[in-house]
Amino acid sequence: MARVRYGARTEAEIAAARTASAKLPDIWSTGVVAVWESDPDAVAAVLPPPLKPTGRPLVRVNISKVDLPGYPLGAGSFAVAAAHDGVEGWYPLVMPMTHERALIGGREVFGEPKKLGEVTVERDGLVVRAALARHGIAFVEVRGAVSGDLPLPEPARKTDFYFKFLPAVDGSGFDADPVLVHCVRNEKVRRLESVTGDVVLRESMYDPVGDLPVRELVEITLGEKTTDQTGRVVERVSAQALLPYIHQRYDDPWQILDGPPEGSA
C-alpha cells in the first residue's frame, strides 16, 4: 500500500524533525520598534491577573519583516509593560502574522495572541513607514525619518507573558485551568538607528489599540536583530479571573461561548 500521509510518523521521522529544528541558523529580521507612555489606568485595565502594571505605563509596538529562506514573514506585536512574580516584561495584546505557519505554532505551543494580518515595513532613503493592518484597517502605523546610528546594545534577555488555554466544549469557560507562560527571548542586534517620527493609532473594533493612546513618545528605532525563544509554564491561573479577558484573543468572542444547541446529543 502506498504511504498514507495522514498516517502516523515513525520515531525516526519525529526525531529527524526535532534535530532539524534544533539546528536552525540565526534568522535576522528588520523592524521598527516604537515605545510610548500611555494612560496608566488603561494599561492596568488590559492586564489579566496575576499580571500587574510596572512602575511606568509603557506600550510597545514591534513591526518586522523576517528573512526566512524562501518564506518571508511579516510579524508584529502590540504589547503593554507588565510584571509577574518579580519579573518585568511585556504582555502582547495582538500579534499579527502574515503566514499561517507562524500563527499556529505560536498560538498552540506558547499561547501567543497571534492573528493573520498584514505587516508593512518600508524604507525609502531616510523615510520609514511601518504598519499593522487587519480587516482593511491599518490600526497602528509608525512614520518618520532615520536620524542617525545608535550604539549596538549588548545581547539582552527579554520576557513576554502569555496565557495558554483551551475553550470548553460546552461553552462554559475552559476545559482545564489556563496556564501562565513566561516566554524568554535572547536578542542580538547587528544594526540600530534612531527614527524621528510619530505613531498613529486608528479606530478598529477588532484591534482597539486606540484605547492605549500615545501620551509621551519614548523612542522609535529601526534595527536588524535575531532572537531565539524558550517558554515555560510558571503557574496555573484562575479560570474565573481570566474569563473576562479572553475576548482579547478573538475577533468574535461569542464563538467560544457558543455551547452545543439545547437538546443535542
Side-chain angles (χ1 to χ4, degrees):
M1 183 177 70
R3 172 75 181 270
V4 178
R5 285 167 291 177
Y6 273 126
R9 290 186 175 181
T10 66
E11 291 185 7
E13 288 173 323
I14 294 172
R18 288 174 176 166
T19 300
S21 64
K23 294 181 178 179
L24 288 175
D26 288 345
I27 298 173
W28 294 89
S29 65
T30 299
V32 171
V33 178
V35 180
W36 65 91
E37 284 195 6
S38 190
D39 182 334
D41 293 334
V43 170
V46 302
L47 294 174
L51 299 183
K52 298 182 182 300
T54 63
R56 196 176 181 191
L58 295 177
V59 179
R60 180 195 68 188
V61 63
N62 190 332
I63 307 172
S64 299
K65 290 289 190 179
V66 187
D67 297 329
L68 295 177
Y71 191 80
L73 171 69
S77 173
F78 188 101
V80 299
H84 173 254
D85 198 22
V87 177
E88 292 197 358
W90 297 93
Y91 173 61
L93 295 171
V94 61
M95 300 176 69
M97 300 284 135
T98 57
H99 294 300
E100 185 181 33
R101 180 180 178 184
L103 182 150
I104 291 175
R107 285 176 69 101
E108 295 188 2
V109 176
F110 293 98
E112 295 173 328
K114 290 184 173 180
K115 299 179 180 180
L116 285 174
E118 299 172 19
V119 178
T120 302
V121 180
E122 300 172 331
R123 177 172 184 173
D124 183 4
L126 297 179
V127 177
V128 175
R129 177 183 176 270
L132 300 177
R134 299 180 63 250
H135 300 287
I137 302 168
F139 60 90
V140 58
E141 182 178 1
V142 182
R143 309 174 302 194
V146 173
S147 52
D149 292 331
L150 292 171
L152 293 184
E154 293 295 321
R157 179 184 174 98
K158 300 181 178 180
T159 301
D160 278 358
F161 305 113
Y162 305 123
F163 290 94
K164 185 176 180 180
F165 56 80
L166 191 63
V169 173
D170 63 4
S172 63
F174 306 104
D175 275 334
D177 286 339
V179 295
L180 174 60
V181 174
H182 283 199
C183 183
V184 177
R185 291 183 171 84
N186 296 300
E187 180 180 284
K188 294 185 294 185
V189 179
R190 67 183 182 186
R191 184 178 183 183
L192 192 64
E193 297 171 289
S194 62
V195 175
T196 301
D198 59 1
V199 177
V200 178
L201 305 179
R202 295 189 177 90
E203 175 58 30
S204 170
M205 63 179 291
Y206 304 104
D207 304 289
V209 297
D211 294 344
L212 295 156
V214 180
R215 290 284 178 84
E216 182 179 345
L217 188 60
V218 176
E219 66 175 1
I220 303 174
T221 58
L222 174 66
E224 297 177 8
K225 66 183 179 182
T226 184
T227 61
D228 59 31
Q229 71 179 51
T230 57
R232 66 185 181 94
V233 172
V234 294
E235 66 174 87
R236 293 198 173 272
V237 301
S238 164
Q240 289 304 310
L242 184 61
L243 193 62
Y245 296 88
I246 59 173
H247 65 281
Q248 295 174 344
R249 192 71 57 89
Y250 303 95
D251 287 349
D252 178 9
W254 296 109
Q255 69 189 40
I256 61 169
L257 302 175
D258 291 341
E262 291 187 11
S264 62

